Amino acid sequence: MARSYQSVLAFVIAFLSYSLYTYGPQVHRTLTVAGVLRRSPTSTAGLEEVIVIPDTIHCEDLHYYSPANVLFTACEDKLETRFGWFPALGNLDDPELGRRGRGSIHVIDVDTKKSQRLSFENFDTTFVTHGIDVVPDPSDPSAVYVFAINHLPHPTLSHQARSQIEVFHHVLGSPSTRHIRSVWHPLVRTPNDILGTAPDTLYVTNDHRHASGFKRTIEDLYRGATWTDTVRLQFSLHPSTDDASADVTASVALDRMHNNNGIGHGPAPDDVLITSCTAGVLHIGRLLTNGSIAVSESVEFDSIVDNPSYFADPYAQSSGVDHSGYLLPGLARAIEIGHTRTDCKATNAVIVWFAQLKTKGGRRRWEKRALFEDDGRRIRSASGAVLVAIDPAATGGVRKAWLFVTGFQSEGMVAVKVDL
Ligand SMILES: *[C@@H]1O[C@H](CO)[C@@H](O)[C@H](O)[C@H]1NC(C)=O
């Protein structure tokens, strides 16, 4: 026993020495992204005010629906569920607690900063929330479809998840949302985030190959573990049976990715943004007509990065300066998540990046800055971030915006006024 332990140790030391020698820069990058080399931000100094929005407990994702000037998110609504059951963090400790999870879809008014839980029609069962997307209803401009991941505990296997996607219909301004169907396919294994392209079509990321354990840790730490994919699902909105797998077709749209995590829309309708979360990389690509995704560019950030969003500046023309760009929320010290993911009292410091592609003299250059940092006390963890522009007429011509940030482990999401 001792002998084999020693030889394993010798092997690990030999491997690490070899790795440091060969992959020195890569090891440094891994430590940077994990936040090992970063001190936790001390506060949110320099910002006008940080508003914590009431009743937004553990909301992971966030989307701005500009036609109605509202935000959509999916929240756990209860403080305890997430720290006992959250497959997305490899936490499969308490499936019974998970089974009792009753999260909800929230609509947030951008102007009043009030959050409203939508009541469900036709849906009274487990809802463990994560990534969402919102697509317009082409047959009714006053309605949308909402897609949401639901991390159900497996019905027969203990301490395993059988996650699926819920499809809801919502009439804007109404207090409820109607469940249309659940969607599942064997290719949906560790779903994280959703990109909807039509009421019956979506792309979903699988964030890990391994649901838990040592191999999952390797996936988190080693960028070469390109073991995840994005899957395209097409389904009937009038399925022949109640089964989640009824009338669903699926194909792999993007394969061999590292920790394929957040997915979002870009500036053009067929643009797609995907993050390799623990590698701190934003991939920019395009949806092809054959159902695949072609990545054309990958941009590195100095922290892990979660759900990406694109801010299209509506005042670009009238103000003469285009402030459009990409938002990437992440953790300042991701290294701590291993022990804080089950601790309801811990904090997780956050960083929200804003990236713009600038072209000067024919040269393309990415400009990245930290738009918001917090020590984790106002917002604990950051996983969703969107910007909503403020009319320059209201600020004497100064370009400002409201930044909204959600955190998968935060008791509340925040709104903060920022300079563009
Ligand atoms: C779709 O088209 C791209 C580019 O032509 C190709 O690389 C990819 O293999 C195609 N995918 C499928 C599923 O046919």
Side-chain angles (χ1 to χ4, degrees):
M1 214 44 191
R3 250 188 104 89
S4 79
Y5 171 74
Q6 270 173 7
S7 60
V8 167
L9 193 66
F11 173 77
V12 168
I13 289 169
F15 177 77
L16 284 179
S17 323
Y18 171 77
S19 302
L20 268 172
Y21 177 71
T22 319
Y23 303 111
Q26 196 52 58
V27 170
H28 185 267
R29 163 116 190 113
T30 302
L31 296 176
T32 302
V33 172
V36 176
L37 310 174
R38 176 184 291 120
R39 271 188 306 175
S40 188
T42 45
S43 69
T44 48
L47 295 166
E48 291 184 23
E49 53 176 331
V50 178
I51 300 168
V52 179
I53 298 179
D55 190 31
T56 51
I57 298 171
H58 300 162
C59 317
E60 200 265 352
D61 202 5
L62 185 62
H63 287 268
Y64 176 50
Y65 191 70
S66 59
N69 198 35
V70 291
L71 305 166
F72 282 87
T73 183
C75 310
E76 289 298 277
D77 293 344
K78 207 164 87 175
L79 283 170
E80 58 176 338
T81 320
R82 182 126 301 175
F83 300 106
W85 176 261
F86 192 43
L89 286 178
N91 183 350
L92 303 160
D93 293 351
D94 193 343
E96 268 320 302
L97 184 66
R99 213 177 299 284
R100 292 198 298 274
R102 291 289 186 280
S104 68
I105 306 291
H106 290 229
V107 176
I108 294 145
D109 186 305
V110 165
D111 296 324
T112 64
K113 321 270 179 306
K114 290 236 161 62
S115 176
Q116 178 183 25
R117 289 187 199 189
L118 299 181
S119 62
F120 287 124
E121 294 168 40
N122 193 28
F123 188 68
D124 181 15
T125 182
T126 302
F127 188 33
V128 177
T129 59
H130 195 183
I132 63 163
D133 200 12
V134 181
V135 299
D137 178 347
S139 66
D140 180 358
S142 71
V144 292
Y145 286 87
V146 180
F147 302 132
I149 307 278
N150 186 2
H151 288 298
L152 299 175
H154 198 282
T156 51
L157 305 169
S158 78
H159 300 279
Q160 288 193 32
R162 211 298 244 117
S163 309
Q164 62 186 24
I165 294 136
E166 310 296 348
V167 179
F168 300 100
H169 187 260
H170 169 65
V171 176
L172 295 159
S174 76
S176 64
T177 187
R178 183 164 52 91
H179 188 247
I180 303 292
R181 65 164 299 170
S182 303
V183 176
W184 184 78
H185 186 278
L187 286 178
V188 178
R189 295 178 306 269
T190 52
N192 185 304
D193 197 10
I194 299 172
L195 177 90
T197 54
D200 63 354
T201 311
L202 60 82
Y203 295 76
V204 58
T205 53
N206 284 306
D207 56 31
H208 286 79
R209 175 182 294 179
H210 300 283
S212 58
F214 176 68
K215 285 183 179 162
R216 187 181 170 100
T217 307
I218 297 281
E219 282 193 80
D220 287 338
L221 293 177
Y222 174 51
R223 249 178 106 162
T226 52
W227 303 340
T228 64
D229 56 13
T230 296
V231 173
R232 182 179 192 269
L233 297 174
Q234 195 149 28
F235 44 88
S236 167
L237 293 173
H238 309 281
S240 47
T241 71
D242 281 348
D243 197 287
S245 59
D247 308 315
V248 178
T249 56
S251 59
V252 174
L254 181 63
D255 204 359
R256 290 192 289 277
M257 296 291 284
H258 175 249
N259 189 214
N260 208 28
N261 188 294
I263 186 167
H265 298 270
D270 60 351
D271 285 339
V272 52
L273 315 176
I274 297 184
T275 55
S276 283
C277 176
T278 60
V281 177
L282 166 69
H283 306 282
I284 300 174
R286 208 157 46 84
L287 303 171
L288 304 179
T289 48
N290 68 4
S292 296
I293 292 171
V295 170
S296 54
E297 181 160 15
S298 299
V299 188
E300 289 189 346
F301 293 83
D302 283 347
S303 75
I304 70 158
V305 289
D306 212 318
N307 304 332
S309 76
Y310 181 75
F311 166 64
D313 184 2
Y315 302 104
Q317 287 225 310
S318 57
S319 75
V321 184
D322 189 351
H323 289 283
S324 301
Y326 300 78
L327 284 143
L328 284 307
L331 303 178
R333 287 181 53 81
I335 188 77
E336 292 167 355
I337 200 77
H339 62 270
T340 59
R341 69 195 173 130
T342 53
D343 183 352
C344 63
K345 295 207 175 67
T347 54
N348 294 98
V350 313
I351 189 160
V352 177
W353 300 98
F354 187 56
Q356 291 173 297
L357 183 58
K358 297 273 171 80
T359 312
K360 265 195 202 117
R363 292 248 307 273
R364 298 164 82 253
R365 197 165 56 89
W366 282 96
E367 277 184 16
K368 301 169 235 172
R369 65 184 162 113
L371 192 60
F372 174 72
E373 287 179 89
D374 186 54
D375 58 8
R377 278 183 292 182
R378 289 163 195 83
I379 181 153
R380 175 184 171 183
S381 74
S383 44
V386 300
L387 271 180
V388 181
I390 295 171
D391 188 342
T395 57
V398 183
R399 291 308 313 276
K400 287 180 182 282
W402 282 103
L403 170 69
F404 295 89
V405 186
T406 53
F408 56 93
Q409 293 193 147
S410 184
E411 283 184 30
M413 62 179 280
V414 297
V416 56
K417 213 184 260 184
V418 293
D419 292 319
L420 288 176

